[in-house]
Amino acid sequence: MRRAVFLDRDGTINEERGYLDRLDRLELYPYAVDAVRLLNRAGFLTVVVTNQGGIGRGIIDEPFLEQVHSVIDQRMTAGHARIDRFYYCPHHPDAVTVELRGPCTCRKPLPGMIERACRELSIDPTRSYMVGDRIIDVRCGQAAGARSILLRSGHGARDEELHGADVAADAILNNLMEAVGWILRNSPH
């Protein structure tokens, strides 16, 4: 079984922009490619798990989301880094269609995306980490059996302030690069 770092997307890899509905609004954090490359070199799979309720709400569609992920892939590849797989949840409680209104097991904080990745990519969640900027990311990782890191980037500083001791993350750090350093120092080889 392999080990992985599950990454939220918005506020973790790229700037938080609300519903990302245009490619010109996609801006990776300056350290994102380097952080992912370090994880690749350390032997971790890197897997994006992202709620994309904008699909359910009719703000974006799946072909656009695939474009966004393709651009992220291109930027990672240009920096000799690799995202091994992207998983997304298109559901939202306010979805315009009943099919996307739920219930589902993939919308974070539920662990469905991580569980699917573990099945498809032979990942051991107990040797893996979930990194994101929301308390729902922390709870998702915990529900899947992974260690969880809350980032203060994106929504994280606000979530840390709102939830305080209830966050219960394994670590609370400023950004993805700090999280990668923490993972590399705290994971058995």
Side-chain angles (χ1 to χ4, degrees):
M1 298 290 275
R2 297 151 66 172
R3 58 190 188 156
V5 176
F6 299 101
L7 300 167
D8 176 49
R9 194 189 77 187
D10 303 322
T12 299
I13 295 172
N14 56 274
E15 294 278 350
E16 173 60 54
R17 304 274 192 216
Y19 285 109
L20 181 60
D21 58 353
R22 294 190 332 261
L23 283 175
D24 64 346
R25 296 179 66 216
L26 173 63
E27 185 176 338
L28 298 186
Y29 285 119
Y31 46 77
V33 173
D34 293 333
V36 170
R37 186 175 56 250
L38 287 169
L39 292 171
N40 298 153
R41 288 182 179 168
F44 285 95
L45 292 177
T46 52
V47 179
V48 170
V49 289
T50 178
N51 284 351
Q52 291 297 315
I55 294 171
R57 297 184 74 197
I59 297 168
I60 63 169
D61 58 21
E62 290 180 277
F64 174 76
L65 180 65
E66 290 169 14
Q67 261 189 306
V68 170
H69 292 167
S70 177
V71 169
I72 292 171
D73 260 343
Q74 291 166 15
R75 293 178 186 174
M76 290 289 170
T77 299
H80 307 288
R82 178 189 73 255
I83 300 289
D84 292 289
R85 188 81 54 94
F86 289 86
Y87 291 91
Y88 64 92
C89 172
H91 303 98
H92 193 279
D94 299 325
V96 294
T97 63
V98 174
E99 305 84 48
L100 294 177
R101 214 170 284 148
C104 72
T105 60
C106 56
R107 187 168 175 81
K108 294 182 288 184
L110 296 175
M113 288 185 282
I114 290 178
E115 291 170 346
R116 180 175 166 204
C118 288
R119 282 190 310 273
E120 293 180 358
L121 301 172
S122 299
I123 296 168
D124 179 355
T126 65
R127 296 178 59 220
S128 300
Y129 300 82
M130 174 69 212
V131 179
D133 70 314
R134 308 282 309 254
I135 194 167
I136 63 170
D137 297 313
V138 170
R139 291 183 177 151
C140 176
Q142 290 168 338
R147 294 174 78 181
S148 296
I149 299 171
L150 177 67
L151 303 181
R152 291 184 181 108
S153 56
H155 294 287
R158 185 200 58 175
D159 270 14
E160 179 185 20
E161 185 178 313
L162 285 174
H163 299 282
D166 292 337
V167 172
D170 291 283
I172 300 174
L173 302 163
N174 290 318
N175 58 51
L176 180 57
M177 187 57 89
E178 286 186 15
V180 168
W182 188 92
I183 290 167
L184 296 179
R185 286 189 307 275
N186 290 284
S187 67
H189 298 285

